[in-house]
């Protein structure tokens, strides 16, 4: 995806990263943060080397294109972006007027699932509400998305949904709803 958008990949700061890889981190023009867990490292690299970052995971064609454009813009302007935050000039069926009404919810980590929700909206026009039961920052949530640390918060939001996307352990909360499994280690470990 990075090469397809005429960028050169550098280092993947993940398991298997070598000391040589770590030594090259300061050479990047921009960093792509694909999970909330990687945000602290991106902030250290910004402070130490002046490297801006963009949060997001390149799902779908429209969102992938937007994320690539934001990476290039962030590198040039030395500013940070949340890739799945809707820009004021963009519209996806007008559902951003007031509180987002959605019959589809996705339960999960803010960056990964925020990106997926935005990609679904851009590619299909179907509004999706993110319910984030994990620690996150409000600026990593889109308008209408919710941090839902309490099970009661999840249950209340799921009641209003027809479709639920989430880790299989949440299936019990989605009784009677159409459920799509999206396994995540933070919820079910390595079970799924």
């Amino acid at each position: 995806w990075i090469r397809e958008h005429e960028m050169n990949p550098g280092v993947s700061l993940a398991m298997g990263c070598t000391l040589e890889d770590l030594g090259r981190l300061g050479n990047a023009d921009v960093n792509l943060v694909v999970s909330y867990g990687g945000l602290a490292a991106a902030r250290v690299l910004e402070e130490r080397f002046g490297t801006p970052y963009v949060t997001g995971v390149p799902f779908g064609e429209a969102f992938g294109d937007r994320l690539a454009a934001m990476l290039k813009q962030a590198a040039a302007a030395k500013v940070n972006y949340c890739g799945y935050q809707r820009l004021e000039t963009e519209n996806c069926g007008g559902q951003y007027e007031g509180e987002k009404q959605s019959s589809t919810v996705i339960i999960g980590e803010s960056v990964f699932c925020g990106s997926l929700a935005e990609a679904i909206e851009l590619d299909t026009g179907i509004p999706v509400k993110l319910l984030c039961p994990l620690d996150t920052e409000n600026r990593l949530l889109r308008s209408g998305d919710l941090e839902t640390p309490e099970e009661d918060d999840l249950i209340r939001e799921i009641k209003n949904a027809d479709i639920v996307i989430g880790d299989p352990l949440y299936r019990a909360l989605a009784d009677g709803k159409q459920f799509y499994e999206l396994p995540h280690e933070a919820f079910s470990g390595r079970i799924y």
Side-chain angles (χ1 to χ4, degrees):
W1 172 82
I2 290 172
R3 289 185 204 285
E4 286 174 7
H5 285 88
E6 300 174 354
M7 295 179 283
N8 295 313
V11 175
S12 175
L13 187 58
M15 285 193 257
C17 185
T18 67
L19 286 174
E20 288 176 346
D21 292 337
L22 292 175
R24 294 193 320 266
L25 288 174
N27 298 335
D29 294 323
V30 64
N31 287 309
L32 178 62
V33 179
V34 296
S35 73
Y36 179 65
L39 189 57
R43 287 180 173 152
V44 168
L45 293 169
E46 179 187 29
E47 182 180 308
R48 188 158 211 189
F49 302 108
T51 311
Y53 60 87
V54 175
T55 55
V57 180
F59 293 118
E61 187 173 336
F63 181 66
D65 289 347
R66 181 207 291 168
L67 197 60
M70 284 185 169
L71 281 166
K72 292 173 184 177
Q73 187 174 349
K78 298 292 185 196
V79 295
N80 302 325
Y81 293 106
C82 182
Y84 48 90
Q85 291 287 352
R86 186 68 50 91
L87 302 175
E88 288 183 21
T89 58
E90 294 178 307
N91 192 333
C92 185
Q95 71 267 22
Y96 283 89
E97 297 173 14
E99 187 67 22
K100 186 188 310 181
Q101 298 299 313
S102 177
S103 63
T104 302
V105 297
I106 184 169
I107 305 167
E109 184 269 333
S110 56
V111 175
F112 184 87
C113 289
S115 298
L116 182 56
E118 188 68 9
I120 292 169
E121 289 186 9
L122 287 172
D123 286 349
T124 69
I126 298 169
V128 180
K129 185 177 209 172
L130 167 62
L131 306 176
C132 182
L134 302 171
D135 284 339
T136 195
E137 298 174 14
N138 283 336
R139 67 178 205 81
L140 294 177
L141 298 174
R142 302 168 314 142
S143 174
D145 292 343
L146 297 174
E147 189 172 1
T148 53
E150 302 295 327
E151 189 174 289
D152 288 344
D153 298 330
L154 286 171
I155 291 169
R156 182 177 52 253
E157 293 297 325
I158 289 171
K159 278 184 183 177
N160 297 322
D162 296 319
I163 299 171
V164 178
I165 304 167
D167 188 271
L169 291 179
Y170 285 110
R171 184 181 293 279
L173 299 180
D175 189 36
K177 309 292 181 177
Q178 189 172 359
F179 189 86
Y180 292 94
E181 293 184 357
L182 183 64
H184 192 287
E185 270 190 277
F187 303 115
S188 60
R190 293 186 175 99
I191 295 172
Y192 298 105

